[in-house]
Amino acid sequence: MMTSESSSSSGNPYDLNGPNFNSELYLQKLFKQCNLKQVMDHEAEIVRDTQTLHSDMQTLVYENYNKFIAATDTVRKMKYDFNQMEESMDLLAKNMDSITSSSEQISSTLQSTKHQIIRLSSIHTLLEKLQFLFKLPNKLTDKLNEENYRQAVQDYIHAKKVLNQYANMPSFQGIQKDCEDIVEELKTRLHAQFEKKDASMQSLAESVDLLLQLKEPADILCADFLTHADARLSEQLDNLRDMCENDIIEFVDASLSGFLSDLCLIVASYKDMFVDRPPLEPNEFSDDFDTKAVSRLNTFIMNNMKKYFDLVGKRVENVADTAVLVRALDRFYKRLQAMNALCEDTDFARTGTEIVISAGRKQCRNHLAALKQHLNETLAKVRQTLASKVSSESDGGLPELQALLVMPTIEKVKGILQDLVIFLQPELSFGLKPQFLQRFCVDEVREGLVIGFLYHLTATANGFCTGLDTPKFPLTLLLLLSKMCLEFKDSNVHYLLTSTDDLFNIEEYASSKGDLTSEIEICENFQKTAQELLNNFVRLQGLAVSQMLRKSVETRDWLHTIEPRTVRAVMKRVVEDITAIESQVTALYDDNDGQVDRSSDSSRKTHSVSRHQYRSNWSSYTPNHLDSSFVSNIHKLFSERIEIFSSVKFNKASILTGIVKISLKTFLECVRLRTFSKYGLQQIQVDTHYLQLYLWRFVSDENLVHFLLDEILGSAVHRCLEPVLMEPSVVDIICERN
């Protein structure tokens, strides 16, 4: 530290490395500033530095000494080498003088015979050419037999100018005739190469090159070459057709390595031979020929690529595994992008995009067909399950059947969407095209598959509402389908459309919201279908009960019936059937908007009052009160009209009310068409009272049942020859006993 401080100023006596260093002053300062231990450490440090400097100095001396010795040896050697070089230069100068002297002597000697030697050399060259011409026919024949066609053409072209120059001499005319005959045979053999199926592109290119050198018309060669190439590519396409049953990856790989590779090789060879070939002579290929050659090549490419695209398009339509299909399409599309350089003003990638979209569309349609098949199988299974159930147990398992109709279908649609989303992988070569994303995601997946299936679902459900005069399926199926449509409307439609829109980025790819089918429209369709199914269920169930009532009225002889002692069995059957229907409806529809709890005390009181009112009306049908009955009928004309086949609500009370209305209305119309005796009337009285005892609990408005039963009994009274009613107490006893 002291050394660094002292070296900061020039001429410092305390600087060990400076020229003005003073050892006495340095020691005095050191003794003042440092203790004994520091002085001893500093001494040791100086000793070490001194030894290091001494060692470095010795090393430097040794190295310089070695360099000096090497330099001395080099100087000594150079002195010796220069002496030898000087001797060699003297010897070389003497030899050059000798050579110059000999050359001058030879030149002077040959000066007199120089022109003679030149003339003899020219004659020798001409004789060699003549000898070549005389041997040319045999040589060409040998090369032809050896199939060394290139050498034969070169020899003929080399001699052709000479033959043409001396064509007027008879001896040369024979040679020219023989050579031309051999060349014609050579051309025939070269043309025959185009007829060989196994001929390689290299051999064909060589044949075309030789024929062009032999002045064969380029147009004919173009046509022959493309004809052979077309046959070769057709064979490749036939091989691909035979592989249509193979795995799609194998098919695409075979097409890429086979057909497309051959096509690229053919195009490259054609361009080298006819388009980009430098002319052998000026104006050998005219501009018109170049235009025709390019046009012919483009036509050839387009025709074969169309055949290839048609074959690939058909093959990719029937692939079960979407992941494998996407891999194959990716390889196919990548290769097509590299094929655009083959043909000008043509974008093969665009055609490839169409094939990819077509494959995606077919995949969506295959999935849609699978969904339809799944729906049909599910419906068949539900119908079989419903048909196998005993009527008394027909309400059991309806929620499970309802779940069977809905949940597997939703899961299958979700699985299909997950399967199709593979088309959107960002690393795919075709996945980044906006037109592909819009057409596939919006048109095919959302609108074609999901929306299409939802419409098919409602159409299938609606199909059970047509031709229902003699239904061939359990009527409970209509109830299940109605509930299924209602559940889709309430939640499943929104879930499926939201899942599809999120998974496939529909809002991003759709050009406008007007292109998308709205959720409201689909839900309204499901609502209408559910309503139609439920209306038909009520109508058919009502008609089924009505059929029993109608037959029971029409098949009985009401003029010769005995005094009633019991309720007819058909009335009990009607109550049992409606009870069974109630059990089925209760399993699927709640009654939040329907009637109140019939087990309450207020309901019992209401029932008791209604019963009393119902009995009190019986007196109006006696002969002594015909005027009051007439007034009552006049009053009914102005009362509120009962809609028998009106739409029902989605609750138990409304459904059962509809069935009861249809049944009682049918009973009423049948009664109006019959004539009754006193006992027939009394039987109707017992039957209606029995129905009144049990049907009131199924409907939302008890007065409706009372009104219709009142109408039935009133009609029977009017159609009775001896209208005498039984005592209400007797009717009670008969009904309670049953």
Side-chain angles (χ1 to χ4, degrees):
M1 185 174 68
M2 289 184 297
T3 304
S4 62
E5 290 177 354
S6 60
S7 61
S8 60
S9 59
S10 178
N12 191 345
Y14 300 104
D15 185 8
L16 290 173
N17 299 322
N20 299 322
F21 176 70
N22 190 324
S23 59
E24 294 296 332
L25 294 176
Y26 183 82
L27 287 174
Q28 291 177 4
K29 182 178 180 182
L30 183 64
F31 291 151
K32 290 179 180 180
Q33 294 179 352
C34 300
N35 55 27
L36 179 60
K37 184 177 185 305
Q38 290 176 340
V39 171
M40 294 178 66
D41 291 340
H42 190 62
E43 180 187 11
E45 182 181 356
I46 293 175
V47 170
R48 284 196 302 271
D49 292 342
T50 303
Q51 292 176 349
T52 300
L53 290 174
H54 182 70
S55 176
D56 292 342
M57 186 178 298
Q58 286 183 341
T59 301
L60 184 62
V61 169
Y62 291 150
E63 289 178 354
N64 290 334
Y65 181 72
N66 290 333
K67 292 179 181 179
F68 177 76
I69 293 175
T72 303
D73 294 339
T74 301
V75 170
R76 187 183 298 110
K77 186 177 180 181
M78 289 176 61
K79 182 179 180 181
Y80 176 75
D81 291 340
F82 277 123
N83 291 334
Q84 285 188 338
M85 188 179 297
E86 186 177 359
E87 294 176 359
S88 299
M89 292 297 294
D90 293 340
L91 180 60
L92 180 60
K94 292 179 182 179
N95 292 335
M96 291 295 294
D97 293 339
S98 175
I99 291 171
T100 301
S101 175
S102 300
S103 175
E104 290 176 355
Q105 185 178 359
I106 292 172
S107 296
S108 61
T109 304
L110 295 177
Q111 186 67 32
S112 59
T113 60
K114 180 178 180 180
H115 297 289
Q116 185 178 0
I117 292 173
I118 293 173
R119 185 174 63 83
L120 291 175
S121 176
S122 175
I123 294 173
H124 177 73
T125 301
L126 180 60
L127 290 175
E128 286 182 346
K129 291 182 178 180
L130 292 175
Q131 185 180 11
F132 175 78
L133 290 176
F134 286 121
K135 292 182 178 181
L136 182 60
N138 293 332
K139 190 174 182 181
L140 291 178
T141 302
D142 293 340
K143 297 298 181 183
L144 200 63
N145 294 332
E146 296 173 1
E147 297 184 355
N148 189 358
Y149 303 138
R150 179 168 293 279
Q151 187 62 46
V153 171
Q154 290 178 356
D155 292 343
Y156 174 73
I157 292 175
H158 180 66
K160 186 177 181 180
K161 293 181 180 179
V162 179
L163 290 174
N164 292 335
Q165 183 179 358
Y166 299 102
N168 57 344
M169 299 178 65
S171 58
F172 288 99
Q173 290 177 356
I175 296 174
Q176 187 174 16
K177 180 67 170 57
D178 293 341
C179 290
E180 289 177 352
D181 292 340
I182 296 171
V183 168
E184 288 299 322
E185 174 65 21
L186 175 60
K187 291 179 180 180
T188 302
R189 292 193 181 187
L190 291 176
H191 278 290
Q193 295 290 327
F194 295 104
E195 300 177 1
K196 295 180 180 180
K197 292 184 178 181
D198 57 345
S200 63
M201 284 295 106
Q202 183 177 0
S203 63
L204 290 177
E206 182 179 2
S207 299
V208 169
D209 180 56
L210 296 178
L211 288 170
L212 287 174
Q213 293 183 40
L214 294 174
K215 305 303 179 184
E216 281 294 285
D219 286 339
I220 297 176
L221 294 179
C222 286
D224 291 345
F225 180 82
L226 292 180
T227 300
H228 176 272
D230 195 63
R232 179 169 180 168
L233 292 178
S234 297
E235 184 179 358
Q236 289 281 359
L237 291 175
D238 291 337
N239 294 335
L240 290 178
R241 290 188 184 94
D242 295 336
M243 294 182 62
C244 284
E245 299 299 327
N246 292 26
D247 180 75
I248 184 64
I249 296 291
E250 295 179 5
F251 174 84
V252 170
D253 288 344
S255 70
L256 299 182
S257 61
F259 177 85
L260 289 185
S261 295
D262 279 3
L263 180 60
C264 292
L265 181 60
I266 290 168
V267 172
S269 300
Y270 183 93
K271 289 183 176 180
D272 290 341
M273 290 182 290
F274 301 109
V275 180
D276 301 331
R277 175 190 178 96
L280 300 176
E281 297 178 1
N283 301 324
E284 181 181 7
F285 296 132
S286 63
D287 294 338
D288 184 57
F289 170 77
D290 291 341
T291 303
K292 289 182 179 179
V294 173
S295 176
R296 185 177 295 174
L297 177 62
N298 291 340
T299 303
F300 168 80
I301 295 172
M302 295 303 298
N303 290 338
N304 282 278
M305 287 300 291
K306 184 179 183 302
K307 297 176 184 178
Y308 174 68
F309 285 142
D310 291 342
L311 182 59
V312 174
K314 293 179 181 178
R315 177 62 186 87
V316 299
E317 288 183 351
N318 298 310
V319 181
D321 193 334
T322 305
V324 174
L325 173 64
V326 169
R327 286 172 51 202
L329 290 174
D330 186 45
R331 297 184 186 182
F332 166 76
Y333 193 84
K334 284 180 180 178
R335 184 61 179 273
L336 286 184
Q337 289 178 317
M339 294 283 292
N340 284 336
L342 288 180
C343 189
E344 296 179 358
D345 302 327
T346 301
D347 188 3
F348 291 124
R350 181 181 303 173
T351 307
T353 300
E354 294 297 327
I355 291 178
V356 172
I357 293 176
S358 177
R361 181 188 305 114
K362 186 64 178 179
Q363 204 69 8
C364 291
R365 292 177 180 176
N366 290 339
H367 283 308
L368 180 59
L371 284 174
K372 293 179 179 179
Q373 180 67 23
H374 169 76
L375 179 62
N376 292 336
E377 293 174 355
T378 303
L379 287 174
K381 184 177 180 180
V382 171
R383 290 176 61 177
Q384 182 179 5
T385 304
L386 291 174
S388 63
K389 287 183 177 293
V390 183
S391 59
S392 61
E393 300 177 357
S394 59
D395 60 318
L398 288 184
E400 288 77 7
L401 292 178
Q402 171 66 22
L404 180 63
L405 280 173
V406 176
M407 295 310 299
T409 302
I410 298 298
E411 292 300 323
K412 193 167 184 65
V413 174
K414 287 171 56 181
I416 288 174
L417 293 178
Q418 290 294 337
D419 184 60
L420 292 175
V421 81
I422 298 175
F423 276 95
L424 304 185
Q425 292 177 348
E427 64 271 14
L428 296 176
S429 56
F430 57 79
L432 300 179
K433 305 296 181 182
Q435 65 271 22
F436 168 77
L437 294 174
Q438 180 179 356
R439 293 175 62 183
F440 176 73
C441 298
V442 178
D443 298 343
E444 304 303 335
V445 177
R446 189 187 192 274
E447 298 296 317
L449 177 61
V450 180
I451 299 296
F453 175 69
L454 292 177
Y455 274 120
H456 173 77
L457 188 57
T458 55
T460 302
N462 270 320
F464 288 94
C465 298
T466 58
L468 291 180
D469 294 336
T470 56
K472 298 180 180 179
F473 53 85
L475 297 182
T476 313
L477 182 62
L478 295 176
L479 193 65
L480 283 170
L481 292 176
S482 175
K483 182 63 176 178
M484 178 196 71
C485 291
L486 207 60
E487 188 172 336
F488 266 91
K489 188 266 295 184
D490 292 338
S491 60
N492 292 329
V493 170
H494 176 75
Y495 174 75
L496 289 178
L497 293 183
T498 302
S499 299
T500 304
D501 294 348
D502 294 342
L503 201 58
F504 289 87
N505 297 324
I506 298 299
E507 293 185 358
E508 178 181 351
Y509 302 135
S511 57
S512 65
K513 290 187 177 181
D515 297 337
L516 303 178
T517 304
S518 66
E519 179 182 334
I520 297 176
E521 179 181 345
I522 300 297
C523 290
E524 288 177 352
N525 193 29
F526 272 99
Q527 176 74 23
K528 293 178 182 178
T529 303
Q531 187 68 63
E532 185 70 17
L533 288 164
L534 194 59
N535 290 343
N536 278 274
F537 172 77
V538 171
R539 183 176 66 86
L540 291 175
Q541 290 288 17
L543 292 178
V545 176
S546 300
Q547 186 72 7
M548 293 189 298
L549 293 170
R550 185 178 65 82
K551 288 183 178 180
S552 70
V553 174
E554 293 177 350
T555 57
R556 190 178 182 91
D557 185 1
W558 294 100
L559 292 176
H560 300 87
T561 186
I562 62 174
E563 184 178 0
R565 292 289 182 266
T566 182
V567 178
R568 287 188 300 151
V570 67
M571 300 303 162
K572 299 177 183 179
R573 178 66 184 274
V574 167
V575 174
E576 290 175 358
D577 286 357
I578 295 179
T579 303
I581 295 172
E582 180 195 28
S583 178
Q584 295 172 356
V585 175
T586 303
L588 296 177
Y589 285 97
D590 57 25
D591 206 19
N592 294 331
D593 298 328
Q595 63 192 35
V596 296
D597 186 5
R598 294 298 183 180
S599 63
S600 64
D601 293 337
S602 60
S603 297
R604 290 172 183 167
K605 293 177 182 178
T606 302
H607 171 51
S608 177
V609 173
S610 300
R611 199 173 185 189
H612 174 71
Q613 292 174 349
Y614 178 68
R615 289 176 181 173
S616 66
N617 290 333
W618 289 355
S619 61
S620 63
Y621 302 116
T622 61
N624 298 327
H625 295 81
L626 291 178
D627 293 337
S628 63
S629 176
F630 176 76
V631 174
S632 177
N633 290 333
I634 292 297
H635 177 70
K636 291 174 183 177
L637 292 176
F638 298 96
S639 62
E640 184 178 356
R641 183 181 176 183
I642 299 176
E643 291 290 340
I644 302 300
F645 293 99
S646 60
S647 294
V648 296
K649 298 179 180 179
F650 295 96
N651 59 70
K652 181 180 70 173
S654 180
I655 295 171
L656 294 175
T657 299
I659 296 172
V660 170
K661 283 195 300 183
I662 295 173
S663 304
L664 296 183
K665 184 63 175 177
T666 303
F667 193 10
L668 173 62
E669 296 301 324
C670 292
V671 168
R672 286 176 176 175
L673 298 176
R674 310 301 293 179
T675 303
F676 299 89
S677 64
K678 181 179 76 171
Y679 293 139
L681 172 61
Q682 292 176 359
Q683 184 64 61
I684 294 296
Q685 181 184 4
V686 171
D687 291 344
T688 54
H689 184 66
Y690 180 82
L691 292 177
Q692 190 274 338
L693 290 176
Y694 292 99
L695 294 185
W696 68 271
R697 59 190 177 90
F698 297 118
V699 298
S700 57
D701 185 4
E702 298 177 27
N703 294 325
L704 177 66
V705 176
H706 299 159
F707 177 80
L708 290 173
L709 291 175
D710 187 54
E711 285 285 307
I712 294 170
L713 184 57
S715 296
V717 169
H718 288 294
R719 298 293 298 172
C720 181
L721 299 177
E722 186 182 357
V724 178
L725 296 173
M726 296 178 68
E727 288 295 328
S729 59
V730 177
V731 175
D732 277 340
I733 293 172
I734 294 174
C735 292
E736 290 175 0
R737 190 169 55 196
N738 290 273

